[in-house]
């Protein structure tokens, strides 16, 4: 099963900031109708991870690390649980 953790941008009042609203790297709006990005959120479909921070780049990096842990998880567990007679 492939897990997903899409990034979503939100305004200060908690409403979703549409994807077509562009911002500067600091979150200031380039769209005249947008109050600006207050935070970015990612929630994994595994149900065990979510992140909400003002820094979009930090959330994206953490999201990538988390999603990679799903692909590494079974191998790590096999390595930890390996029972060999030596």
């Amino acid at each position: 099963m492939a897990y997903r953790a899409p990034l979503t941008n939100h305004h200060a009042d908690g409403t979703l900031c549409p994807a077509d609203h562009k911002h500067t790297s600091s979150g200031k709006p380039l769209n005249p109708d947008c109050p600006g990005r207050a935070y970015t959120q990612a929630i994994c479909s595994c149900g065990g991870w979510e992140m909400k921070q003002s820094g979009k780049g930090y959330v994206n990096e953490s999201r990538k690390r988390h999603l990679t842990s799903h692909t590494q998880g079974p191998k790590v567990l096999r390595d930890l649980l390996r029972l060999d007679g030596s």
Side-chain angles (χ1 to χ4, degrees):
M1 174 179 175
Y3 292 100
R4 298 182 64 238
L7 289 176
T8 54
N9 295 316
H10 299 264
H11 302 132
D13 63 1
T15 58
L16 188 64
C17 186
D20 63 335
H21 284 190
K22 302 299 179 197
H23 307 89
T24 64
S25 59
S26 66
K28 292 181 182 174
L30 295 174
N31 183 317
D33 298 328
C34 182
R37 180 182 68 231
Y39 64 91
T40 299
Q41 184 174 25
I43 301 173
C44 185
S45 59
C46 74
W49 182 89
E50 67 179 83
M51 177 173 264
K52 175 180 164 181
Q53 295 285 327
S54 60
K56 181 179 179 179
Y58 182 66
V59 174
N60 194 32
E61 281 299 314
S62 298
R63 176 186 74 89
K64 289 177 183 178
R65 276 195 302 275
H66 173 74
L67 291 172
T68 300
S69 74
H70 284 301
T71 59
Q72 294 175 348
K75 181 186 181 316
V76 171
L77 287 176
R78 281 194 306 272
D79 291 345
L80 288 173
L81 298 174
R82 181 170 291 138
L83 298 174
D84 55 16
S86 53

